[in-house]
PDB file of all heavy atoms in Angstrom:
ATOM      1  N   SER A 377      19.069  31.582  22.589  1.00 98.00           N
ATOM      2  CA  SER A 377      19.291  30.242  22.889  1.00 98.00           C
ATOM      3  C   SER A 377      17.966  29.403  23.051  1.00 98.00           C
ATOM      4  O   SER A 377      18.017  28.214  23.084  1.00 98.00           O
ATOM      5  CB  SER A 377      20.177  30.121  24.135  1.00 98.00           C
ATOM      6  OG  SER A 377      19.472  30.723  25.193  1.00 98.00           O
ATOM      7  N   HIS A 378      16.868  30.192  23.066  1.00 98.00           N
ATOM      8  CA  HIS A 378      15.531  29.501  23.210  1.00 98.00           C
ATOM      9  C   HIS A 378      14.803  29.405  21.910  1.00 98.00           C
ATOM     10  O   HIS A 378      13.567  29.153  21.872  1.00 98.00           O
ATOM     11  CB  HIS A 378      14.755  30.193  24.305  1.00 98.00           C
ATOM     12  CG  HIS A 378      15.350  30.054  25.668  1.00 98.00           C
ATOM     13  ND1 HIS A 378      15.340  28.890  26.388  1.00 98.00           N
ATOM     14  CD2 HIS A 378      16.098  30.969  26.339  1.00 98.00           C
ATOM     15  CE1 HIS A 378      16.017  29.065  27.559  1.00 98.00           C
ATOM     16  NE2 HIS A 378      16.450  30.335  27.562  1.00 98.00           N
ATOM     17  N   TRP A 379      15.424  29.816  20.818  1.00 98.00           N
ATOM     18  CA  TRP A 379      14.625  30.024  19.551  1.00 98.00           C
ATOM     19  C   TRP A 379      14.043  28.711  19.035  1.00 98.00           C
ATOM     20  O   TRP A 379      13.043  28.764  18.244  1.00 98.00           O
ATOM     21  CB  TRP A 379      15.466  30.766  18.482  1.00 98.00           C
ATOM     22  CG  TRP A 379      16.368  29.944  17.630  1.00 98.00           C
ATOM     23  CD1 TRP A 379      17.549  29.377  17.998  1.00 98.00           C
ATOM     24  CD2 TRP A 379      16.173  29.474  16.292  1.00 98.00           C
ATOM     25  NE1 TRP A 379      18.123  28.681  16.888  1.00 98.00           N
ATOM     26  CE2 TRP A 379      17.311  28.773  15.886  1.00 98.00           C
ATOM     27  CE3 TRP A 379      15.141  29.643  15.375  1.00 98.00           C
ATOM     28  CZ2 TRP A 379      17.410  28.211  14.596  1.00 98.00           C
ATOM     29  CZ3 TRP A 379      15.272  29.141  14.065  1.00 98.00           C
ATOM     30  CH2 TRP A 379      16.391  28.387  13.682  1.00 98.00           C
ATOM     31  N   GLN A 380      14.517  27.568  19.415  1.00 98.00           N
ATOM     32  CA  GLN A 380      14.010  26.333  18.990  1.00 98.00           C
ATOM     33  C   GLN A 380      13.341  25.573  20.132  1.00 98.00           C
ATOM     34  O   GLN A 380      13.155  24.360  20.017  1.00 98.00           O
ATOM     35  CB  GLN A 380      15.038  25.384  18.335  1.00 98.00           C
ATOM     36  CG  GLN A 380      15.749  26.154  17.213  1.00 98.00           C
ATOM     37  CD  GLN A 380      16.569  25.271  16.298  1.00 98.00           C
ATOM     38  OE1 GLN A 380      15.927  24.657  15.376  1.00 98.00           O
ATOM     39  NE2 GLN A 380      17.832  25.179  16.512  1.00 98.00           N
ATOM     40  N   ASP A 381      13.002  26.206  21.306  1.00 98.00           N
ATOM     41  CA  ASP A 381      12.434  25.510  22.358  1.00 98.00           C
ATOM     42  C   ASP A 381      11.114  24.864  21.905  1.00 98.00           C
ATOM     43  O   ASP A 381      10.258  25.557  21.382  1.00 98.00           O
ATOM     44  CB  ASP A 381      12.077  26.475  23.534  1.00 98.00           C
ATOM     45  CG  ASP A 381      13.302  26.763  24.366  1.00 98.00           C
ATOM     46  OD1 ASP A 381      14.401  26.356  24.004  1.00 98.00           O
ATOM     47  OD2 ASP A 381      13.112  27.428  25.464  1.00 98.00           O
ATOM     48  N   PRO A 382      10.923  23.565  22.037  1.00 98.00           N
ATOM     49  CA  PRO A 382       9.726  22.884  21.529  1.00 98.00           C
ATOM     50  C   PRO A 382       8.450  23.460  22.063  1.00 98.00           C
ATOM     51  O   PRO A 382       7.446  23.530  21.390  1.00 98.00           O
ATOM     52  CB  PRO A 382       9.900  21.408  22.018  1.00 98.00           C
ATOM     53  CG  PRO A 382      11.451  21.328  22.272  1.00 98.00           C
ATOM     54  CD  PRO A 382      11.888  22.541  22.682  1.00 98.00           C
ATOM     55  N   GLU A 383       8.372  23.863  23.358  1.00 97.00           N
ATOM     56  CA  GLU A 383       7.130  24.340  23.930  1.00 97.00           C
ATOM     57  C   GLU A 383       6.955  25.925  23.556  1.00 97.00           C
ATOM     58  O   GLU A 383       5.972  26.508  24.026  1.00 97.00           O
ATOM     59  CB  GLU A 383       7.145  24.201  25.421  1.00 97.00           C
ATOM     60  CG  GLU A 383       7.225  22.732  25.922  1.00 97.00           C
ATOM     61  CD  GLU A 383       6.004  21.914  25.413  1.00 97.00           C
ATOM     62  OE1 GLU A 383       4.892  22.540  25.416  1.00 97.00           O
ATOM     63  OE2 GLU A 383       6.207  20.711  25.125  1.00 97.00           O
ATOM     64  N   GLY A 384       7.898  26.466  22.864  1.00 98.00           N
ATOM     65  CA  GLY A 384       7.817  27.912  22.505  1.00 98.00           C
ATOM     66  C   GLY A 384       8.144  28.711  23.750  1.00 98.00           C
ATOM     67  O   GLY A 384       8.675  28.248  24.729  1.00 98.00           O
ATOM     68  N   ILE A 385       8.128  30.059  23.557  1.00 98.00           N
ATOM     69  CA  ILE A 385       8.486  30.953  24.618  1.00 98.00           C
ATOM     70  C   ILE A 385       7.125  31.751  24.987  1.00 98.00           C
ATOM     71  O   ILE A 385       6.327  31.949  24.093  1.00 98.00           O
ATOM     72  CB  ILE A 385       9.658  31.899  24.201  1.00 98.00           C
ATOM     73  CG1 ILE A 385       9.493  32.461  22.818  1.00 98.00           C
ATOM     74  CG2 ILE A 385      10.923  31.134  24.244  1.00 98.00           C
ATOM     75  CD1 ILE A 385       8.594  33.576  22.698  1.00 98.00           C
ATOM     76  N   PRO A 386       7.130  32.199  26.236  1.00 98.00           N
ATOM     77  CA  PRO A 386       5.860  32.868  26.693  1.00 98.00           C
ATOM     78  C   PRO A 386       5.838  34.327  26.250  1.00 98.00           C
ATOM     79  O   PRO A 386       6.862  35.064  26.336  1.00 98.00           O
ATOM     80  CB  PRO A 386       5.984  32.857  28.201  1.00 98.00           C
ATOM     81  CG  PRO A 386       7.447  32.759  28.463  1.00 98.00           C
ATOM     82  CD  PRO A 386       8.073  32.058  27.321  1.00 98.00           C
ATOM     83  N   ILE A 387       4.727  34.719  25.595  1.00 98.00           N
ATOM     84  CA  ILE A 387       4.597  36.109  25.112  1.00 98.00           C
ATOM     85  C   ILE A 387       3.946  37.009  26.121  1.00 98.00           C
ATOM     86  O   ILE A 387       2.875  36.781  26.607  1.00 98.00           O
ATOM     87  CB  ILE A 387       3.741  36.129  23.811  1.00 98.00           C
ATOM     88  CG1 ILE A 387       4.438  35.299  22.651  1.00 98.00           C
ATOM     89  CG2 ILE A 387       3.420  37.533  23.356  1.00 98.00           C
ATOM     90  CD1 ILE A 387       5.721  35.957  22.172  1.00 98.00           C
ATOM     91  N   SER A 388       4.646  38.083  26.508  1.00 98.00           N
ATOM     92  CA  SER A 388       4.138  39.036  27.545  1.00 98.00           C
ATOM     93  C   SER A 388       3.540  40.289  26.908  1.00 98.00           C
ATOM     94  O   SER A 388       2.858  41.009  27.603  1.00 98.00           O
ATOM     95  CB  SER A 388       5.290  39.406  28.505  1.00 98.00           C
ATOM     96  OG  SER A 388       5.721  38.289  29.103  1.00 98.00           O
ATOM     97  N   ALA A 389       3.931  40.572  25.629  1.00 98.00           N
ATOM     98  CA  ALA A 389       3.437  41.760  24.957  1.00 98.00           C
ATOM     99  C   ALA A 389       3.228  41.518  23.505  1.00 98.00           C
ATOM    100  O   ALA A 389       4.093  40.801  22.859  1.00 98.00           O
ATOM    101  CB  ALA A 389       4.427  42.990  25.212  1.00 98.00           C
ATOM    102  N   ILE A 390       2.174  42.150  23.046  1.00 98.00           N
ATOM    103  CA  ILE A 390       2.033  42.206  21.511  1.00 98.00           C
ATOM    104  C   ILE A 390       2.124  43.625  21.144  1.00 98.00           C
ATOM    105  O   ILE A 390       1.575  44.585  21.734  1.00 98.00           O
ATOM    106  CB  ILE A 390       0.648  41.579  21.244  1.00 98.00           C
ATOM    107  CG1 ILE A 390       0.673  40.035  21.350  1.00 98.00           C
ATOM    108  CG2 ILE A 390       0.226  41.966  19.757  1.00 98.00           C
ATOM    109  CD1 ILE A 390      -0.588  39.329  21.165  1.00 98.00           C
ATOM    110  N   ILE A 391       2.862  43.839  20.029  1.00 99.00           N
ATOM    111  CA  ILE A 391       3.144  45.199  19.558  1.00 99.00           C
ATOM    112  C   ILE A 391       2.632  45.364  18.183  1.00 99.00           C
ATOM    113  O   ILE A 391       2.959  44.579  17.267  1.00 99.00           O
ATOM    114  CB  ILE A 391       4.692  45.496  19.600  1.00 99.00           C
ATOM    115  CG1 ILE A 391       5.328  45.165  21.027  1.00 99.00           C
ATOM    116  CG2 ILE A 391       4.911  46.965  19.139  1.00 99.00           C
ATOM    117  CD1 ILE A 391       6.847  45.265  20.970  1.00 99.00           C
ATOM    118  N   PHE A 392       1.771  46.397  17.951  1.00 98.00           N
ATOM    119  CA  PHE A 392       1.372  46.719  16.605  1.00 98.00           C
ATOM    120  C   PHE A 392       2.108  48.016  16.250  1.00 98.00           C
ATOM    121  O   PHE A 392       2.566  48.719  17.118  1.00 98.00           O
ATOM    122  CB  PHE A 392      -0.136  46.920  16.535  1.00 98.00           C
ATOM    123  CG  PHE A 392      -0.910  45.603  16.825  1.00 98.00           C
ATOM    124  CD1 PHE A 392      -1.798  45.512  17.873  1.00 98.00           C
ATOM    125  CD2 PHE A 392      -0.723  44.520  15.974  1.00 98.00           C
ATOM    126  CE1 PHE A 392      -2.536  44.371  18.045  1.00 98.00           C
ATOM    127  CE2 PHE A 392      -1.458  43.314  16.218  1.00 98.00           C
ATOM    128  CZ  PHE A 392      -2.269  43.227  17.233  1.00 98.00           C
ATOM    129  N   GLY A 393       2.140  48.338  14.980  1.00 98.00           N
ATOM    130  CA  GLY A 393       2.891  49.582  14.617  1.00 98.00           C
ATOM    131  C   GLY A 393       2.540  49.991  13.212  1.00 98.00           C
ATOM    132  O   GLY A 393       1.777  49.298  12.485  1.00 98.00           O
TER     133      GLY A 393
END
Side-chain angles (χ1 to χ4, degrees):
S377 57
H378 296 286
W379 83 283
Q380 307 196 79
D381 281 7
E383 299 297 327
I385 45 79
I387 295 293
S388 302
I390 287 176
I391 307 171
F392 296 120

